[in-house]
Amino acid sequence: MSQQKTTVRYRDRQTGKIVTEKVFSENTLRWLYENWLGFKVLNYLLNNHLFCWLYGKSQDLPLSRRKIADFVRQYQIEPAESELLPESYASFNAFFARRLKPDARPFVQDPQIFCAPGDGKVLVYPQGQAQIDVKGTTFSVESLLNGELDAQTYRGGAVLILRLAPYDYHRFHFPVRGQANSTKCLNGQYHSVNPIALAKVPKIFCLNKRAITEFDSHNFGRIACIEIGAITIGSIVQTYKPGAVAKGQEKGYFQYGGSTVILLFEPNKISFDADLIRDSQANLEVRVMAGTRLGTKYE
């Protein structure tokens, strides 16, 4: 009996439409996670630091820049948002980790409003849950943090998951102002973070390589920010300096590949917008843009 294929759908918050996601390299991804031979190839040859490092380095080569034009056209990326024109980037990785123009992602400056830290599809979980349920799989705060931070601080608090597809803007930002600590890095595996992969390997977020930063925010308490690596990601780069950080300030970026940012909150600190809660309860991701409103200070 063949395995039922996972369909990836989300709601575009700007248009309100339900969209079937154009999955990057979908045939390859399905072969790796939905075919028994492909899954063996993934686990024995691809799911390791050496392969991902080498693949990442290949995207730094000048020859790789030939892929940029097709990538922009296929995934309808808006060239006018970027600091440089697509043909000006020295490699595909340089384009992939591109900065945008300063006014491309304005952050709502009201200190009572919590903003999206990056572009991507979100799932939100109001406080009070002992386990986090994502696309039919559950995991705990303890397993996600793996002892790097005190899990008790965030137990029973709200959770935000932001999934970035390979064609998304891949820099992430501080959603509110505060004081940020240094980042702790956890080595791990390199699975894809697409729902196709989650259907096969439920504990991906707790298995993959990740970077963990805790910061004391204004109005939203302590927040644990976890950036999760994925297949073909050469590295997660932090560009901020520990200390005072501003709302909307760049925190870092992912190199080539899809990826995820997870935010953990203390109890009674954030109220997510009702439409996000509604869709997340139905396991429907919502596409948002960096700087847009996701919630408000808990009252």
Side-chain angles (χ1 to χ4, degrees):
M1 182 180 297
S2 60
Q3 181 177 346
Q4 184 177 1
K5 288 187 175 182
T6 300
T7 301
V8 184
R9 300 169 74 240
Y10 63 88
R11 178 172 66 89
D12 188 315
R13 205 180 192 196
Q14 288 184 307
T15 66
K17 294 181 179 179
I18 304 298
V19 181
T20 298
E21 183 171 342
K22 185 181 291 187
V23 178
F24 181 73
S25 298
E26 181 174 2
N27 290 337
T28 300
L29 188 63
R30 289 194 182 280
W31 184 74
L32 291 173
Y33 284 96
E34 297 178 347
N35 178 281
W36 69 271
L37 178 59
F39 195 60
K40 286 186 179 296
V41 169
L42 170 71
N43 284 319
Y44 288 105
L45 295 179
L46 309 183
N47 188 1
N48 61 75
H49 173 74
L50 179 61
F51 168 77
C52 294
W53 183 82
L54 289 173
Y55 194 92
K57 286 299 180 184
S58 73
Q59 305 308 306
D60 287 330
L61 298 175
L63 193 63
S64 68
R65 67 195 300 267
R66 298 189 304 177
K67 302 193 302 182
I68 295 175
D70 286 342
F71 190 79
V72 168
R73 183 167 50 252
Q74 183 177 1
Y75 294 102
Q76 299 179 327
I77 295 169
E78 179 50 70
E81 291 184 337
S82 303
E83 281 187 332
L84 305 175
L85 294 173
E87 59 268 23
S88 300
Y89 290 94
S91 68
F92 186 76
N93 225 350
F95 171 76
F96 183 83
R98 65 195 177 278
R99 281 194 171 94
L100 302 184
K101 292 176 180 176
D103 60 349
R105 295 293 185 274
F107 274 64
V108 179
Q109 288 304 305
D110 186 335
Q112 306 290 318
I113 290 177
F114 192 90
C115 294
D119 289 7
K121 288 92 177 177
V122 298
L123 291 168
V124 301
Y125 302 88
Q127 63 185 25
Q129 300 180 98
Q131 296 283 322
I132 305 163
D133 187 348
V134 182
K135 300 291 183 181
T137 180
T138 60
F139 62 91
S140 66
V141 170
E142 287 83 357
S143 58
L144 185 65
L145 294 176
N146 196 37
E148 294 298 327
L149 297 179
D150 183 5
Q152 182 63 38
T153 301
Y154 304 101
R155 189 176 292 121
V159 180
L160 166 69
I161 299 177
L162 174 73
R163 177 175 66 87
L164 289 71
Y167 47 81
D168 283 321
Y169 165 59
H170 262 65
R171 291 185 179 250
F172 42 88
H173 302 256
F174 286 100
V176 290
R177 71 186 182 98
Q179 291 280 331
N181 295 335
S182 57
T183 297
K184 302 177 180 181
C185 296
L186 277 174
N187 291 325
Q189 299 182 26
Y190 295 85
H191 282 287
S192 167
V193 294
N194 188 278
I196 292 172
L198 279 170
K200 177 70 174 180
V201 186
K203 304 295 184 181
I204 281 174
F205 295 141
C206 302
L207 295 174
N208 275 16
K209 171 185 177 180
R210 50 204 187 274
I212 301 175
T213 310
E214 188 171 53
F215 72 102
D216 290 315
S217 72
H218 293 257
N219 292 326
F220 295 91
R222 276 183 294 181
I223 300 173
C225 182
I226 302 114
E227 292 102 28
I228 299 176
I231 191 167
T232 71
I233 286 188
S235 61
I236 305 168
V237 180
Q238 305 293 332
T239 58
Y240 81 101
K241 293 181 179 180
V245 294
K247 188 176 190 178
Q249 177 183 329
E250 181 183 298
K251 183 178 185 295
Y253 62 90
F254 295 101
Q255 291 192 326
Y256 180 72
S259 35
T260 296
V261 175
I262 297 180
L263 302 182
L264 305 178
F265 299 83
E266 297 177 279
N268 302 325
K269 295 300 181 182
I270 187 170
S271 296
F272 291 121
D273 289 346
D275 67 309
L276 301 180
I277 295 174
R278 177 200 67 211
D279 287 347
S280 294
Q281 288 174 341
N283 262 326
L284 179 66
E285 294 174 308
V286 180
R287 186 170 189 264
V288 299
M289 310 300 279
T292 56
R293 168 180 162 151
L294 299 183
T296 59
K297 180 182 178 182
Y298 185 88
E299 299 292 347

